[in-house]
């Protein structure tokens, strides 16, 4: 598994080979310039979805972007290598899983402070799935127009092709885990490849 600096260097080298500016690649990959810049500098661990978009923008398979020269069937991500992202609003998420080429799976631990609403997330492509387990506290999960309250030990599955939101309505922090299998929309791939 590539470390963040090696991954960032590879993205930057491929971008330069193609004569693309940061702005041009960000537009082609449908990611923000700040995210792309952080990835290139090795300062941010991109999600699998973001990596897949960058690979599409560069016109290379995801596996070629992230695989080491001698790929292994066992990829270890040590606790010290897990990236914690502090989000606006005071909540944070830790990406627990390594990036595996051609596998759009993520396992994330999120902590919401008391009364925090992490916001609504757009629907993913059909075939996307999320499993959520609450470690501690209370989680309010909103799926389209339905709301489900979950307490410590509760779990839920939902098809992630609907808008969904996470909030903590309680007066104590909420810690929960999300296991997500995220599919990429075919329309976006076709658009990037220049086909209708």
């Amino acid at each position: 598994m590539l470390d963040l600096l090696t991954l960032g260097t590879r993205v930057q080298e491929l971008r330069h080979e193609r004569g693309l500016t940061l702005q041009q690649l960000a537009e082609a990959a449908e990611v923000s310039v700040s995210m792309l810049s952080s990835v290139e500098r090795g300062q941010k661990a991109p999600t699998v979805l973001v990596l897949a978009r960058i690979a599409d923008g560069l016109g290379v398979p995801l596996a070629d972007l992230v695989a080491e020269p001698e790929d292994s069937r066992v990829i270890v991500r040590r606790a010290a290598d897990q990236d914690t992202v502090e989000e606006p609003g005071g909540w944070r998420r830790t990406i627990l899983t390594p990036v595996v080429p051609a596998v759009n799976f993520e396992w994330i631990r999120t902590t919401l402070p008391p009364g925090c609403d992490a916001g609504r997330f757009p629907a993913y492509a059909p075939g996307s799935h999320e499993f959520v387990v609450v470690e501690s506290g209370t989680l309010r999960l909103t799926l389209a127009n339905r709301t489900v309250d979950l307490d410590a030990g509760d779990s839920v599955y939902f098809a992630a092709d609907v808008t969904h939101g996470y909030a903590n309505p309680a007066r104590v922090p909420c810690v929960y885990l999300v296991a997500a299998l995220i599919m990429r929309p075919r329309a976006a791939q076709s658009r990037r490849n220049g086909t209708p």
Side-chain angles (χ1 to χ4, degrees):
M1 181 62 209
L2 295 178
D3 61 59
L4 292 180
L5 286 174
T6 304
L7 174 64
T9 300
R10 181 171 290 176
V11 170
Q12 189 175 58
E13 286 173 353
L14 288 168
R15 178 171 63 80
H16 288 161
E17 283 176 15
R18 285 150 180 76
L20 297 172
T21 66
L22 268 174
Q23 180 69 40
Q24 289 169 327
L25 178 55
E27 289 173 6
E30 297 180 4
V31 299
S32 70
V33 172
S34 62
M35 168 60 84
L36 183 58
S37 177
S38 295
V39 170
E40 285 194 357
R41 292 191 314 269
Q43 295 179 337
K44 195 165 204 176
T47 64
V48 173
L49 187 61
V50 168
L51 273 178
R53 288 178 176 172
I54 292 171
D56 281 351
L58 290 167
V60 299
L62 177 60
D64 289 355
L65 183 63
V66 299
E68 293 194 24
E70 294 182 15
D71 201 9
S72 172
R73 293 180 55 86
V74 177
I75 300 172
V76 176
R77 185 172 203 179
R78 302 288 180 196
D81 296 328
Q82 293 173 354
D83 297 294
T84 298
V85 180
E86 301 291 336
E87 299 286 357
W91 60 284
R92 71 179 180 274
R93 62 186 169 90
T94 302
I95 301 167
L96 304 173
T97 45
V99 175
V100 180
V103 177
N104 297 332
F105 175 83
E106 291 182 316
W107 193 9
I108 299 170
R109 173 181 283 120
T110 302
T111 302
L112 299 178
C116 178
D117 186 340
R120 303 275 287 197
F121 298 88
Y124 296 118
S128 298
H129 308 275
E130 287 196 23
F131 297 83
V132 179
V133 178
V134 179
E135 262 186 21
S136 63
T138 300
L139 176 67
R140 178 161 291 155
L141 176 65
T142 304
L143 305 170
N145 297 320
R146 179 178 178 186
T147 300
V148 179
D149 285 337
L150 303 163
D151 294 316
D154 292 345
S155 63
V156 66
Y157 157 81
F158 63 94
D161 57 356
V162 297
T163 57
H164 49 286
Y166 301 93
N168 177 6
R171 296 181 180 175
V172 295
C174 173
V175 179
Y176 63 95
L177 298 166
V178 175
L181 177 63
I182 307 301
M183 305 309 291
R184 292 184 293 147
R186 292 182 189 273
Q189 288 176 319
S190 298
R191 240 188 351 266
R192 286 188 208 107
N193 294 334
T195 57

